[in-house]
Amino acid sequence: MAFALTIDGKPAPASETFAVIDPATGREFAQCPLATVAQLDQAVAAARAAFPGWAALPIEQRAAALNAIADALAAECDDLAALLSQEQGKPVRSAAGEIQGSIHWIRTTAGFRPEIERIDQADGSRAEIHRKPLGVVGSITPWNFPVMIAIWHVMPALLAGNTVVLKPSPSTPLATLRMVEIANRHLPAGVWNVVTGDVEIGSGIAKHPGIDKVVFTGSTPTGRAIMRDGAANLKRLTLELGGNDAAIVLPDADVEAIAPQIFQYAFGNSGQICAAIKRVYVHDTLHDALAERLAELAAAAKVGPGSDPETHYGPVQNRRQFDYVRTLADDARAQGGRFLAGGEPLAGDGYFFPLSIVVDVTDGHRIVDEEQFGPVLPLIRYSDVEDVLARANASENGLGGSVWSADVSRAAALAQRLECGTAWVNSHSKISPDVPFGGAKQSGIGVEFGMHGLDEYMQLQIVRLPAEAA
Ligand code: NAD
């Protein structure tokens, strides 16, 4: 299968390629074209040239193009899902779910319409708030949901009238290249370009004087680098970064009812979700029962290659992350942590780590303090609710958090005291295309989704009119 960059509406040849690894085997399965810095410049130039025409279209026409892209992706869902599964590792049906979720996101986003707001003044004059596109948006995506996150970045950018240069993660570039190729059949040339590469091209985007805004999803250190690089031309930034979400289980929670849900929100996508449950604080009275139930669920889950229809959970996506998860698991054991399920990599090739439950760990241990971004879940005992709230909040991250209880209003009151962008009650990780989502503290800047998310792709322009115009 041949893959190409898309620059100015056309496939762009690449003189160099790099290997894409199948995480289920640890071996190369495809070569991906590698963009040069000159090709990044060409992509930015194409996006700049396409910007005035695209921005001038009535929003209904841009929305129609988005819906046409959704239809085209739906028609190619099976092929895209197979490719996504092979490069990312997730089961084929989860990959299909990612494509279908992306389509749902496109259609919802296409329905948003920014309005002109009007503020009447006491002297009879009027201020109007208009929203204008920013220009060229650079999008840099990670490897956990490559297709979905690209859609989250690019669709509101395009609807608002911006043009885009996208760079996928070098670990998972292929489904993204294919998606952009398909989308370009429904867009004017230059509106959506895609280049590949890693730090050089990523920081090239962040520094580029022809790019007005960067939207980035990935790790917090890379977010900091993008902020530094983007300072050159005061780029607008939306940063969705790491999380270390706490779930607090109150003593009145029903263990049988909540265990499968906590399990699902911790281990979905093999734990590689930014807003997954990453540490569970359980009241002393429930600790052992919940730990035992979660361990049973973990032991019953089938971890395997994404191509096997029996597989529930795929491998860790890449070698570096796999080694990191193993290091955190080893450290937990060295600190006296007890694994009730998993704890050691599975034998054989591929980056397979079993779903793992570890107890007898606490704050100050790496598995609790750091973001594992993989299938190892620590359970931490507590006895005092005020104390556990302070421990949950003692993190530089603040993406999400949750409180689990039979008393929803008590849980909601506590959830509001979590220092995070989204606080869930008796659930976690749930997101919707019309509800804003973003991180507090060092988990990010700005929000995605909904009208608040769309606003991040637009510049407010205030038009002040004299009294006689009002
Ligand atoms: P990463 O930061 O290593 O890489 C993400 C992207 O940035 C890749 O495309 C990479 O090539 C590019 N990049 C690397 N260095 C760069 C630089 N100096 N300048 C510009 N771009 C650069 O992250 P990752 O390992 O792909 O993803 C895992 C991390 O992403 C986890 O920390 C996770 O929590 C976070 N994440 C956050 C969210 C969210 O919405 N908050 C969602 C998914 C993942």
Side-chain angles (χ1 to χ4, degrees):
M1 218 186 279
F3 299 94
L5 316 175
T6 299
I7 299 176
D8 203 17
K10 297 180 286 290
S15 47
E16 278 186 65
T17 60
F18 61 94
V20 182
I21 307 296
D22 178 345
T25 63
R27 287 190 294 277
E28 171 187 333
F29 80 98
Q31 285 285 318
C32 178
L34 175 66
T36 60
V37 172
Q39 283 176 315
L40 169 61
D41 289 340
Q42 287 164 16
V44 175
R48 283 236 79 85
F51 172 61
W54 180 248
L57 287 179
I59 192 166
E60 296 301 335
Q61 281 188 36
R62 293 198 297 269
L66 264 54
N67 281 318
I69 292 170
D71 293 344
L73 294 180
E76 312 242 8
C77 181
D78 290 351
D79 288 350
L80 275 170
L83 184 59
L84 177 59
S85 167
Q86 192 167 15
E87 66 177 344
Q88 205 285 331
K90 63 185 69 184
V92 173
R93 72 174 169 283
S94 308
E98 180 173 339
I99 309 291
Q100 282 149 8
S102 303
I103 291 164
H104 170 55
W105 233 273
I106 298 173
R107 294 201 200 285
T108 306
T109 305
F112 296 155
R113 293 290 175 273
E115 294 196 348
I116 299 170
E117 293 170 61
R118 172 182 165 146
I119 306 171
D120 293 323
Q121 299 293 289
D123 65 0
S125 70
R126 168 168 111 217
E128 288 178 351
I129 306 175
H130 295 248
R131 288 172 165 81
K132 308 220 156 161
L134 297 167
V136 177
V137 171
S139 152
I140 302 175
T141 54
W143 44 255
N144 56 343
F145 289 90
V147 168
M148 181 91 129
I149 291 176
I151 291 299
W152 291 350
H153 289 183
V154 173
M155 290 301 136
L158 294 183
L159 183 75
N162 304 282
T163 55
V164 172
V165 176
L166 164 68
K167 189 202 80 63
S169 166
S171 283
T172 52
L174 301 177
T176 309
L177 291 182
R178 189 66 86 216
M179 169 174 68
V180 181
E181 184 190 319
I182 294 166
N184 262 265
R185 297 175 200 149
H186 305 279
L187 292 169
V191 167
W192 187 0
N193 308 274
V194 60
V195 293
T196 53
D198 197 4
V199 180
E200 188 187 22
I201 298 295
S203 86
I205 287 175
K207 286 181 185 147
H208 208 292
I211 294 182
D212 302 285
K213 178 200 169 88
V214 169
V215 50
F216 168 73
T217 301
S219 65
T220 304
T222 304
R224 286 196 194 97
I226 288 173
M227 233 177 146
R228 275 194 300 274
D229 287 339
N233 66 338
L234 279 184
K235 278 192 182 62
R236 274 56 180 159
L237 297 176
T238 302
L239 304 177
E240 297 287 357
L241 308 177
N244 192 12
D245 290 13
I248 298 176
V249 179
L250 297 182
D252 67 353
D254 174 348
V255 167
E256 278 306 306
I258 68 169
Q261 297 189 61
I262 290 188
F263 182 81
Q264 175 196 342
Y265 296 128
F267 291 112
N269 209 37
S270 300
Q272 302 163 115
I273 295 183
C274 52
I277 296 177
K278 298 198 172 121
R279 35 188 185 134
V280 185
Y281 290 93
V282 197
H283 193 266
D284 254 336
T285 52
L286 303 183
H287 177 278
D288 292 354
L290 182 62
E292 197 181 310
R293 189 72 194 100
L294 289 174
E296 282 168 13
L297 291 167
K302 170 115 173 46
V303 176
S307 56
D308 179 347
E310 304 282 295
T311 291
H312 300 141
Y313 298 89
V316 175
Q317 200 281 320
N318 58 74
R319 175 96 226 178
R320 197 178 60 156
Q321 192 64 26
F322 175 74
D323 289 343
Y324 181 63
V325 168
R326 180 162 54 182
T327 301
L328 291 189
D330 290 348
D331 186 73
R333 201 176 292 104
Q335 302 286 340
R338 267 188 309 129
F339 280 88
L340 303 185
E344 302 270 7
L346 297 175
D349 296 336
Y351 311 139
F352 291 106
F353 206 96
L355 307 195
S356 306
I357 301 290
V358 59
V359 296
D360 296 348
V361 288
T362 190
D363 307 86
H365 295 164
R366 291 186 67 186
I367 189 63
V368 178
D369 291 357
E370 296 181 28
E371 180 188 25
Q372 67 276 50
F373 212 67
V376 181
L377 183 66
L379 265 67
I380 308 125
R381 287 177 186 277
Y382 78 88
S383 52
D384 178 78
V385 171
E386 286 303 316
D387 176 57
V388 80
L389 187 69
R391 288 155 73 187
N393 283 337
S395 169
E396 68 177 30
N397 293 298
L399 194 56
S402 58
V403 180
W404 299 75
S405 169
D407 180 343
V408 169
S409 34
R410 180 185 179 205
L414 201 63
Q416 286 170 59
R417 294 170 63 202
L418 286 168
E419 295 167 1
C420 58
T422 304
W424 289 270
V425 171
N426 292 342
S427 123
H428 206 110
S429 315
K430 272 190 185 161
I431 51 170
S432 315
D434 55 351
V435 178
F437 173 80
K441 301 199 275 189
Q442 294 188 42
S443 285
I445 293 181
V447 294
E448 297 188 90
F449 316 153
M451 294 303 288
H452 294 278
L454 186 63
D455 260 346
E456 304 238 345
Y457 295 93
M458 295 182 289
Q459 171 71 47
L460 296 188
Q461 186 191 41
I462 312 305
V463 178
R464 301 216 54 146
L465 298 167
E468 60 267 25

